[in-house]
Amino acid sequence: MTTEQELQSLFNKLDTDQDGKISINDLFLSPGLSTIISSETSISTPQELLVNYDSDEDGSITFEELKSAVEKANNLT
């Protein structure tokens, strides 16, 4: 389980260009971090994360979208 602060820290590490979004390229370029996201969300691939949680369909994941995925998996404390 992850706290919101830990999730924000993870998000910031993945958001390499600091634009407030994690692109699919960011996820593929950080396999260790995307593995952590997979374990926290029960989602196996970056594409699956985008398909299921990219609510604004812009091809990237915001912190709120990532938080929603972790909350749905009941892994946010």
Side-chain angles (χ1 to χ4, degrees):
M1 292 214 170
T2 301
T3 66
E4 188 168 343
Q5 183 178 5
E6 290 168 334
L7 188 62
Q8 183 69 59
S9 177
L10 174 62
F11 182 87
N12 292 342
K13 288 177 187 173
L14 283 169
D15 184 16
T16 55
D17 59 5
Q18 302 295 303
D19 67 351
K21 299 177 181 181
I22 301 172
S23 71
I24 196 161
N25 290 336
D26 291 332
L27 289 170
F28 277 118
L29 292 173
S30 304
L33 294 174
S34 62
T35 298
I36 294 168
I37 287 179
S38 294
S39 70
E40 292 297 329
T41 62
S42 303
I43 291 174
S44 58
T45 66
Q47 295 96 327
E48 189 179 351
L49 183 65
L50 283 174
V51 166
N52 291 314
Y53 293 99
D54 182 15
S55 59
D56 59 6
E57 298 180 358
D58 67 349
S60 60
I61 297 293
T62 64
F63 176 72
E64 289 302 318
E65 290 166 338
L66 178 60
K67 183 178 164 186
S68 174
V70 174
E71 286 174 338
K72 186 171 183 181
N74 293 317
N75 281 334
L76 191 66
T77 56

